[in-house]
Amino acid sequence: MSIKTATLNGVATIEIARPEKKNALTVAMYQAMTDALRGAVADSAVRAVLITGQPGVFTSGNDIEDFMARPPGQGSDAMDSPVFLFMRALLECDKPVVAAVTGAAIGIGTTMLLHCDFVYVSDEARLAMPFVSLGLVPEYASSLLLPQLMGQARAAEKLLLGDPFTGAEAVDCGLANAVLPAAEVVGHARRVAERFNSLPPGAVREAKQLLRAPQRQAILQTIRSEGELFAKRLRSPEAMEAFQAFFQKRKPDFSKFD
Ligand code: COA
């Protein structure tokens, strides 16, 4: 099983555990994470959710083989795809979500952090959103939220050039709360999540809703419009060249495209 879940001391932990593929996320893993998030919302014993990875890697993003074999649907089917159901489940989670970023966080590994309430990053973490380099476009409302968070100039470096950035930069631009030594990041994130055991759950729920409500419609709308383009681009010759180059461990050649 590549997603491990456990509830302990009021915290539902979702652990991404596919280290041999750098925690790349498959359709089945999105489904398991969606179920875990929905289960956490329904379980009154859960006061907060913790999302974490493996030592040295949070997640390398969507499994590129899955992108080729099982791309999210287009048109009216698009929003029923497992990746979008996961996105919605995280958006709709009314309990605090704490992310412990244990290492590389690529693609959705970074964009999902925009929708977590607390983000703790290891000093080895490298974040990146190389959508354009893969022939794709930004997703999970990153094209809306990233410029708001860090300004257009820095967002263009991350989203157009796909420049990687450190945990310290993630803290500097407000994407993460703190950088911690690699061995301490999960423990610290867990302790933050456990603090909700002594806070009133109704007030926490309503406060979280207030914090997120002003952007909610714009986020959903952006996810939809990004998603339409993303699904189309997944089937594009540019994306095919990028995916093949990744598996052939070579640099992609985009010189023939206009
Ligand atoms: N999808 C599918 N397989 C992936 C993957 C992904 N997103 N990320 C890593 N893997 C696989 C590699 O193909 C490799 O498989 P192999 O052992 O069968 O050859 C294995 O995981 C180890 O990856 P490798 O690239 O050798 O590890 P690394 O430590 O050198 O680099 C990363 C780690 C995360 C920096 C690098 O794997 C990477 O950039 N991955 C792709 C990230 C990406 O573009 N994600 C999509 C975003 S939309």
Side-chain angles (χ1 to χ4, degrees):
M1 188 59 193
S2 330
I3 297 293
K4 294 184 190 167
T5 57
T7 297
L8 187 69
N9 196 20
V11 178
T13 300
I14 301 175
E15 180 187 338
I16 309 169
R18 195 187 176 211
E20 70 286 2
K21 291 288 177 189
K22 300 290 169 183
N23 278 358
L25 296 168
T26 60
V27 163
M29 289 162 75
Y30 286 122
Q31 279 163 347
M33 292 197 293
T34 301
D35 291 347
L37 285 164
R38 291 187 177 149
V41 169
D43 183 351
S44 60
V46 171
R47 294 300 182 93
V49 175
L50 172 65
I51 304 180
T52 185
Q54 299 299 302
V57 64
F58 180 60
T59 165
S60 62
N62 204 105
D63 184 292
I64 294 177
E65 217 174 312
D66 247 31
F67 260 162
M68 299 170 81
R70 283 171 285 276
Q74 287 180 291
S76 57
D77 290 344
M79 294 299 130
D80 294 332
S81 303
V83 63
F84 290 109
L85 294 177
F86 163 71
M87 289 180 183
R88 282 205 76 125
L90 183 54
L91 284 176
E92 283 163 9
C93 181
D94 62 358
K95 297 179 180 176
V97 180
V98 185
V101 180
T102 43
I106 319 284
I108 196 166
T110 290
T111 59
M112 78 167 86
L113 305 178
L114 294 163
H115 306 280
C116 295
D117 302 293
F118 302 87
V119 177
Y120 296 97
V121 190
S122 101
D123 51 10
E124 294 170 358
R126 288 289 175 278
L127 295 86
M129 291 163 284
F131 301 114
V132 168
S133 338
L134 289 167
L136 305 173
V137 291
E139 41 81 308
Y140 215 168
S142 53
S143 61
L144 171 75
L145 297 174
L146 218 67
Q148 288 177 357
L149 205 57
M150 55 178 73
Q152 289 287 349
R154 281 166 93 182
E157 289 174 351
K158 316 297 183 238
L159 288 177
L160 295 184
L161 292 171
D163 281 356
F165 55 110
T166 61
E169 195 181 342
V171 172
D172 182 49
C173 71
L175 178 61
N177 294 77
V179 184
L180 294 136
E184 292 170 25
V185 66
V186 178
H188 181 84
R190 176 172 294 285
R191 282 191 294 280
V192 171
E194 285 175 351
R195 285 176 60 185
F196 287 97
N197 285 320
S198 51
L199 287 166
V204 169
R205 205 163 38 242
E206 285 172 16
K208 171 165 175 165
Q209 201 184 355
L210 284 169
L211 281 164
R212 300 270 167 185
Q215 292 268 74
R216 191 179 153 74
Q217 283 314 316
I219 287 172
L220 287 171
Q221 180 52 44
T222 307
I223 288 175
R224 260 193 294 272
S225 45
E226 290 171 340
E228 278 170 31
L229 282 173
F230 196 98
K232 217 187 303 171
R233 295 222 52 93
L234 272 175
R235 295 156 171 89
S236 70
E238 288 178 359
M240 285 306 135
E241 164 59 12
F243 297 160
Q244 280 161 9
F246 175 74
F247 288 117
Q248 291 163 5
K249 301 190 189 291
R250 61 168 172 84
K251 271 176 103 75
D253 175 8
F254 299 120
S255 62
K256 59 178 179 288
F257 299 112
D258 56 20

